[in-house]
């Protein structure tokens, strides 16, 4: 009767047994109330915080692919004492002109007179420039913060008494005699169009910050967070003001302002719900020694085979368009992980209650006797290796047997 | 005999007790089958979907450090009616020339005649430009979309009858008389070399999109997804076509095309398995008012101490090289989290079966009696605080005792 | 007595029952030790690795918003054989000059003589340039790697015997006769100031890499990882050396070097603990055919109404400032997920021990009898559907009953 076929069948039958833990039901309201309260708290935390607030059922993707196209419009004038007025248009004050995500709007320039490569006295502000005699000027020496290579002669500055080392370089050197042109008069009126399109590859979701349905409205609209959200045309004055900066000061010393476009999209909703949020922040450390933002560039000319240049130190407002995005969409894995965590956590409640039960309510061990069903070694025939523990346990557990015991 | 030493020993022994839940084995095939089926489903989901498809055993890192170096090669010609032919080489049509990740290949230009700072009639297309009498022109007024500052006079346009306000600015102004030069004839043949190297700091993994083993092959190869994957040299025509755009139209109005390099690496495999995928997408909103891509820049000249410039409105194809990457590598934490979740989820199966067991198969409570071992208050000597619940439970649970009861 | 009110009350009372699993306590040291050891291992793993090393209690945010402002200082000279010396300042060797995150410091140039649009012989190095007779030169043909459009004539090169096709383009063409100017002499002394400010939007945390408290110290300090961490002024020589490159060679052929700023911030600590780490790495594939980094640009001049240009092939060191960041801050969700995982994992220990218990220690089924409480169908009155399994189980489980059985 105990053939291999039967054994195999037995295995299979055992495989189909359903096992469920045996449970002690403690009829005790107080404990029950505690138990249910703990469970309630845990459930509330998960349903409300994890799933509703934190959207624990969504997979998230950060850092979308992004492309930014900018276009500045506007025109301004600058007054150069003595040289009269100058008109600045886009081709002149936007650097670089290509309309990328980082560009500078020049607000002030300091122009040196036409320079050529020759010898002239070093600027008195340069280090190791001042000299008493030619002995102070090492021929061929160059100081990294100077303007050229020392010839070794010590010469008078144009403005008379003061003497500095003569250098070979682009002369005349940049010094206090530079002409400052400020075109900030109309700059706050300049408008900046920012076209931004993003793409979340994981979710295959693309969107732009321009409403392509409405046709020509881009021609006249300006941005407003409520009425004209999909019209990303910003007045420079508006940007600076939103960043909490003083325009005049900024235009004077220059600075960098970040236009942060933040896409926070819940892709379980309609795509139209995924709207860009614009924020503006100054990015260069303001209260600091080398404050402000400026850079030097030169325009090169050639006249009867000799090259000359105009050196321009440009102060400006640099706009950094920073795109930041996050998208969330329902996904099984995070959902199930959070659900499993919830289940486990609910279980935690019983730890607490078991402890209460067995510590405070356990009058002459009535609960522990029913909960714990002790089995000790000497129930096995193996009398070998009887240790102090088994002895002990036998002793202290003997009385229990009557209460619970099926003596084998 | 009950000295502190023994007590301490007892504690230690209790600490070494092994506790395992008591289990009811229900010999019922139908239930067993349901139970195993539920388990099977859950196991399949985790093994197949979570671990195999979603690689739940890997830690992931997004957004690698990336560096892009580009180089354009090619030469083209443009025909200017009247002025004859012009030849364009890299130094002329690639802006900016440094070979970064964003650059423009100029396909068409609109050149204004040599401009100087003086007075001339405003373009008739500018707002508030047209005038009947000088009264219409406010001296000193500047319109942001105009070309200069109004002098206050109302003058005739070169082309006769029409009158506009005179302005001070770069003259002659840009208007319909601009010369359009198109060099699109050979542009599709231009080749773009894109060198991209990425680095995943978390996994300390670096790779480039060029196969450095093969020596000179970069000189003659062109990209092919299958045969020449590691030859990132793209014909501009190929890029535009892959992006699904019409080249002629794009070259005419300009546009922005994204070359997306996607690194999706499974670092548990050999590094050679981590290969870049290239995709091409148009990035600027096409069907829209201010469609296309163009920008203005100027070339400055100086002749006998007066500065002049040529204003160029450049239409072009801007290439944005966008690098996107994700790497996964085996890591303990996600693995264990997913395993734990799997275990918990498998447990969920028994919830279902318990419910079936106790609801449908529970003929005269045979299962519930065996599963639930009730303990009620009056078993404790404490007769205090006997509530309606304990009364109830005592009453309704009395019969059960016989079936299961060890009466204390 | 069994009114609906009572029933309802009963339900409510049952709801307040506290259920706790019935447990078998196995008084067996060896098993207990194994059990506790397994638990210990799991606890150590979670406490030490998951929570302490991997900070499993933190939510993490990658890829902060970042803005980079750079400024190069320094001056150098170059010797042109025949044309004497030239001085290079920032305005000349930094391209683009705006001080963004990617810029090139020109270290060597190859200048072609002043070019104008006319006809001249093609460079002999250009493909399909060499010709024996005019028949070899297809009029109007343009080779993408050539310098212009073939006129159809086959002419002698300036240097005598060799003949190439005549082209129309910018002439003279770039060839071996270019003048190479190297300004690398002082370049290693150049200093680069890198201002970087980051912002983690999720944690609302901003920081810069400049210590704004100390006032003028930026004027004289240079970076040192230990003493001057908050002085991001780097000598170019230092950067190249840190990247493990040979400066002379790099300056000669050009190359791209990445300055990686890594912000790894634990926002549970004081913000001052969140410090940038700088690392330097060469980014362009070095041992490769088109090695090095160079690009072409032109300076345009206009003399008596004819445009001319100087074509410059610039070799340089391109600096890519790459900002990479990760911030972690305590958050409930990951903490609880990891805790729940820990709890589940600890439970895993008992699987192992149960298996040991029931496989190796289960002398004449003493443990299994106590652990498993079998219920079989014929206990239910339903005599219907008696299957082979129930028969089997009845038979083999009959003996067990005596040991454990409450026969119904």
């Amino acid at each position: 009767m105990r053939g291999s076929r039967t054994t195999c069948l037995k295995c299979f039958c055992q495989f189909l047994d359903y096992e469920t833990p045996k449970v002690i039901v403690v009829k005790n309201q107080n404990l029950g109330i505690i138990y249910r309260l703990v469970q309630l708290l845990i459930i509330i935390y998960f349903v409300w915080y994890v799933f509703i607030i934190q959207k624990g059922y969504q997979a998230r993707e950060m850092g979308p692919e992004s492309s930014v196209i900018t276009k500045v419009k506007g025109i301004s004038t600058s007054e150069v004492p003595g040289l009269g007025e100058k008109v600045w248009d886009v081709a002149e004050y936007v650097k670089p002109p290509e309309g990328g995500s980082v560009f500078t709007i020049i607000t002030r320039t300091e122009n040196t007179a036409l320079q050529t490569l020759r010898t002239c006295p070093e600027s008195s502000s340069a280090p190791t420039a001042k000299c008493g005699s030619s002995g102070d000027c090492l021929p061929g020496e160059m100081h990294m913060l100077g303007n050229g290579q020392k010839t070794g002669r010590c010469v008078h500055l144009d403005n008379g008494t003061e003497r500095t080392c003569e250098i070979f370089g682009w002369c005349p050197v940049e010094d206090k005699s530079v002409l400052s042109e400020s075109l900030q008069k109309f700059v706050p009126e300049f408008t900046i169009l920012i076209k931004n399109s993003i793409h979340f590859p994981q979710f295959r979701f693309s969107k732009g910050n321009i409403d392509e349905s409405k046709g020509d409205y881009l021609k006249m609209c300006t941005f407003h967070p409520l009425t004209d959200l999909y019209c990303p045309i910003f007045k420079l004055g508006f940007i600076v003001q939103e960043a909490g900066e003083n325009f005049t000061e900024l235009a004077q010393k220059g600075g960098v302002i970040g236009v942060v476009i933040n896409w926070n999209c819940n892709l379980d909703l309609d795509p139209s719900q995924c709207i860009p949020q614009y924020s503006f922040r100054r990015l260069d450390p303001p209260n600091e020694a080398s404050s402000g933002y400026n850079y030097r560039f030169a325009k090169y000319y050639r006249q009867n085979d000799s090259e000359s240049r105009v050196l321009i130190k440009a102060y400006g407002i640099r706009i950094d368009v920073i795109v930041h995005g996050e998208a969330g969409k329902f996904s099984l894995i995070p959902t199930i992980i959070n659900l499993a965590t919830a289940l486990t956590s609910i279980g935690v409640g019983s730890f607490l209650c078991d402890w209460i039960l067995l510590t405070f309510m356990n009058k002459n061990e009535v609960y522990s006797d029913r909960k714990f069903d002790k089995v000790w070694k000497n129930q096995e025939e193996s009398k070998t290796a009887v240790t102090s523990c088994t002895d002990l346990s036998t002793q202290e557990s003997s009385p229990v047997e009557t209460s619970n015991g099926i003596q084998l």
Side-chain angles (χ1 to χ4, degrees), chain A:
Chain A
M1 163 176 174
R2 287 217 170 279
S4 70
R5 206 187 124 290
T6 350
T7 347
C8 173
L9 183 55
K10 265 182 63 185
C11 307
F12 178 70
C13 291
Q14 273 176 11
F15 176 77
L16 286 189
D17 292 347
Y18 171 63
E19 304 186 347
T20 174
K22 185 155 184 152
V23 169
I24 310 287
V25 181
V26 178
K27 297 268 175 199
N28 180 314
Q29 288 178 79
N30 311 335
L31 196 60
I33 289 164
I34 295 170
Y35 185 52
R36 297 300 180 189
L37 277 184
V38 173
Q39 286 187 331
L40 191 67
L41 283 179
I42 294 168
I43 289 166
I44 287 173
Y45 161 77
F46 274 96
V47 171
W48 178 75
Y49 181 72
V50 175
F51 283 95
I52 295 178
I53 303 294
Q54 294 290 329
K55 299 206 175 51
Y57 56 89
Q58 288 187 330
R60 310 200 72 70
E61 181 177 18
M62 317 282 292
E65 300 164 9
S66 160
S67 155
V68 172
I69 309 170
T70 56
K71 190 157 205 174
V72 182
K73 282 207 160 77
I75 186 165
S76 186
T77 60
S78 68
E79 196 66 53
V80 193
L83 295 177
E85 195 176 52
K86 183 178 171 188
V87 170
W88 296 71
D89 62 4
V90 175
E92 249 179 313
Y93 62 71
V94 179
K95 306 277 177 198
E98 287 87 6
S101 60
V102 176
F103 60 93
T104 304
I105 293 175
I106 297 175
T107 53
R108 186 167 72 87
T109 61
E110 289 176 355
N111 309 347
T112 313
L114 204 66
Q115 294 179 316
T116 53
L117 270 177
R118 52 185 172 89
T119 64
C120 61
E122 172 67 279
S123 152
S124 59
S125 58
T128 75
K130 294 206 181 58
C131 55
S133 75
S134 298
D136 305 341
C137 303
L138 212 62
E141 190 204 15
M142 285 181 77
H143 192 288
M144 279 300 121
L145 303 180
N147 296 297
Q149 188 164 29
K150 291 182 181 162
T151 59
R153 291 213 306 285
C154 184
V155 295
H156 281 283
L157 277 180
D158 327 341
N159 53 17
T161 62
E162 205 174 9
R163 302 176 77 201
T164 62
C165 293
E166 186 189 57
I167 57 154
F168 172 78
W170 289 99
C171 292
V173 301
E174 182 187 73
D175 59 10
K176 300 167 204 62
S177 70
V178 294
L179 286 171
S180 170
E181 288 184 64
S182 165
L183 56 138
Q184 67 174 272
K185 192 170 164 195
F186 295 92
V187 176
E189 297 306 308
F190 291 175
T191 59
I192 304 174
L193 163 64
I194 301 177
K195 291 187 200 174
N196 174 221
S197 71
I198 56 156
H199 177 69
F200 286 99
Q202 192 177 312
F203 297 138
R204 290 186 181 63
F205 176 80
S206 296
K207 195 164 187 207
N209 69 338
I210 290 182
D211 187 345
E212 298 171 11
S213 60
K214 315 188 194 161
D216 269 9
Y217 82 120
L218 271 185
K219 290 227 182 320
M220 64 287 300
C221 71
T222 57
F223 176 78
H224 188 289
L226 303 175
T227 62
D228 270 330
L229 181 61
Y230 281 105
C231 168
I233 298 181
F234 305 89
K235 275 218 164 85
L236 187 53
F238 171 79
I239 291 178
V240 173
Q241 175 196 328
E242 285 289 302
E245 297 295 323
N246 171 324
F247 190 90
T248 324
E249 190 188 303
L250 195 66
Q252 181 69 14
K253 300 187 66 177
V256 181
I257 290 191
V259 175
V260 181
I261 307 181
N262 188 10
W263 295 85
N264 199 336
C265 297
N266 177 352
L267 300 186
D268 295 327
L269 306 179
D270 185 80
S272 65
Q273 299 293 312
C274 166
I275 53 181
Q277 285 159 326
Y278 300 88
S279 58
F280 309 89
R281 200 167 68 247
R282 178 149 189 191
L283 294 176
D284 59 318
N287 50 359
E288 177 240 320
S290 77
S291 167
Y293 170 71
N294 62 70
Y295 67 92
R296 286 181 179 79
F297 68 99
K299 288 186 196 165
Y300 290 86
Y301 307 108
R302 189 178 195 86
Q303 279 169 309
N304 40 49
D305 295 359
S306 79
E307 191 176 37
S308 60
R309 74 176 199 184
V310 169
L311 177 64
I312 298 165
K313 183 177 186 182
Y315 295 78
I317 298 174
R318 191 177 104 183
I319 304 289
D320 285 19
V321 180
I322 300 171
V323 179
H324 203 275
E326 185 178 8
K329 193 169 193 176
F330 171 79
S331 166
L332 261 181
I333 293 183
T335 311
I336 290 186
I337 283 183
N338 279 309
L339 280 178
T341 312
L343 287 178
T344 323
S345 313
I346 287 171
V348 173
S350 48
F351 279 114
L352 175 67
C353 295
D354 274 2
W355 177 73
I356 296 173
L357 180 72
L358 299 171
T359 320
F360 301 112
M361 306 176 150
N362 199 8
K363 292 239 179 46
N364 51 17
E365 301 198 320
V366 62
Y367 289 122
S368 53
D369 295 346
R370 296 297 288 279
K371 181 174 171 63
F372 300 112
D373 185 358
K374 300 210 185 61
V375 188
W376 49 89
K377 263 249 181 68
N378 56 7
Q379 286 177 326
E380 316 169 23
E381 272 62 9
S382 69
K383 281 279 170 235
T384 61
V386 177
T387 69
S388 57
C389 271
T390 23
D391 301 343
L392 262 171
S393 49
T394 336
Q395 292 145 15
E396 51 94 19
S397 58
S398 313
V400 180
E401 287 183 67
T402 60
S403 79
N404 164 343
I406 301 98
Q407 184 63 284
L408 302 194

